[in-house]
């Protein structure tokens, strides 16, 4: 399993005093949405309402054949990285649930909204031209300050506020975790927020890095708790 970051690339500084020792953040395996972003779900005009588009993203979108292969890679990788009985947490989205079930078959898991992808509200699956035409008042933030952009609609979440608060709540909840290892299956934007909490880094810095290179599908980010802090111990990614 090639490490894409050396142990010293990231310095974790989130204060922690619980019994848990290792945290493994896993981005879900490749989904149909990932593979067909410009030819599948994003159409102009969008054929669905915002709530219908979000329900489609959350409940319907599953894994590609490549995603299934990545889950087989994860099965071996997590077996090598974790202890025998990790605590498993996953978002509510089908692509994360399927990744958890295929990567760690037969093990119980807990579903939590805290690991959900950013909620894009009424903008879910809108192309940028349609979004800027329909909601011109939010165009400047979406173009230049994406971390501050709050998608239109009552459920829209900004990365720097709502998603970051959820990430903080998830990390805070680990204080009560008795298992030595926790594996969390989540999403690209949620990982940005979780990293901001774990590493005490500005969200803006992580967003800038992500513009050059997103967290790959099925990548595993490893954190070790020690001395009251989390320390990054490497990122592992599939070769398929």
């Amino acid at each position: 399993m090639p490490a894409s970051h050396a142990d010293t690339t990231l310095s974790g500084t989130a204060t922690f005093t619980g019994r848990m020792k290792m945290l493994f953040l896993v981005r879900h395996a490749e989904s149909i949405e990932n593979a067909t972003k410009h030819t599948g779900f994003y159409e102009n005009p969008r054929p669905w309402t915002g709530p219908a588009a979000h329900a489609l993203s959350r409940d319907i979108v599953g894994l590609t054949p490549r995603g299934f292969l990545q889950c087989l890679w994860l099965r071996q990788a997590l077996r090598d990285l974790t202890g025998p009985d990790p605590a498993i947490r996953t978002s509510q989205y089908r692509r994360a649930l399927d990744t958890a079930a295929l990567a760690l078959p037969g093990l119980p898991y807990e579903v939590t909204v805290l690991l959900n992808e950013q909620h894009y509200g009424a903008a879910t699956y809108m192309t940028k031209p349609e979004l800027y035409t329909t909601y011109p008042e939010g165009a400047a933030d979406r173009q230049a300050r994406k971390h501050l952009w709050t998608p239109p609609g009552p459920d829209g979440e900004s990365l720097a506020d709502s998603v970051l608060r959820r990430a903080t709540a998830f990390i805070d909840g680990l204080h009560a975790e008795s298992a030595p290892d926790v594996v969390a299956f989540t999403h690209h934007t949620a990982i940005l927020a979780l990293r901001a909490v774990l590493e005490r880094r500005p969200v803006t810095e992580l967003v800038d890095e992500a513009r050059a290179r997103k967290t790959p599908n099925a990548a595993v980010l490893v954190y070790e708790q020690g001395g009251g802090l989390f320390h990054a111990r490497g990122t592992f990614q599939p070769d398929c």
Side-chain angles (χ1 to χ4, degrees):
M1 296 178 294
S4 61
H5 297 286
D7 288 357
T8 55
T9 301
L10 308 175
S11 57
T13 56
T15 301
F16 188 77
T17 58
R19 289 168 287 179
M20 192 205 74
K21 298 299 182 184
M22 301 294 294
L23 172 63
F24 303 89
L25 299 182
V26 183
R27 187 185 179 196
H28 64 81
E30 184 183 75
S31 71
I32 298 169
E33 180 182 326
N34 296 143
T36 65
K37 182 172 182 178
H38 300 293
T39 59
F41 296 97
Y42 289 84
E43 299 180 22
N44 190 0
R46 184 183 61 182
W48 311 287
T49 64
H54 182 259
L56 177 66
S57 175
R58 182 190 61 219
D59 301 328
I60 303 299
V61 171
L63 304 179
T64 63
R66 183 186 183 195
F68 282 95
L69 288 176
Q70 290 173 342
C71 288
L72 295 180
W73 176 87
L74 277 170
R75 189 177 301 182
Q76 182 61 55
L78 293 173
R79 186 180 298 133
D80 293 341
L81 290 168
T82 71
D85 297 303
I88 304 169
R89 304 288 183 266
T90 178
S91 86
Q92 296 177 313
Y93 284 61
R94 179 184 167 186
R95 49 194 180 271
L97 292 165
D98 288 351
T99 303
L102 291 168
L104 295 170
L107 297 182
Y109 56 82
E110 180 180 314
V111 180
T112 173
V113 68
L114 299 179
L115 292 173
N116 278 3
E117 178 60 292
Q118 180 179 359
H119 197 314
Y120 291 99
T124 305
Y125 289 147
M126 271 192 174
T127 63
K128 290 179 183 179
E130 185 178 14
L131 173 64
Y132 298 152
T133 299
T134 308
Y135 300 102
E137 64 279 2
D141 273 346
R142 176 62 182 80
Q143 292 169 318
R145 299 178 293 274
K146 189 176 179 182
H147 62 293
L148 296 176
W149 175 60
T150 300
D155 298 317
E157 295 182 309
S158 71
L159 169 57
D161 183 16
S162 300
V163 183
L164 188 61
R165 282 192 282 108
R166 287 198 282 106
T168 301
F170 178 78
I171 300 302
D172 286 346
L174 296 178
H175 287 265
E177 181 55 61
S178 59
D181 297 335
V182 173
V183 183
F185 293 89
T186 185
H187 306 263
H188 168 67
T189 305
I191 285 175
L192 294 180
L194 288 161
R195 287 184 60 195
V197 177
L198 291 166
E199 302 166 22
R200 294 276 181 87
R201 295 175 63 191
V203 170
T204 50
E205 186 176 300
L206 294 164
V207 169
D208 286 343
E209 290 180 4
R211 286 193 179 98
R213 188 173 185 273
K214 286 188 174 182
T215 303
N217 288 111
V220 183
L221 284 66
V222 182
Y223 293 86
E224 181 178 17
Q225 185 271 323
L229 304 173
F230 272 109
H231 304 274
R233 295 307 187 205
T235 300
F236 300 86
Q237 62 187 70
D239 54 5
C240 55

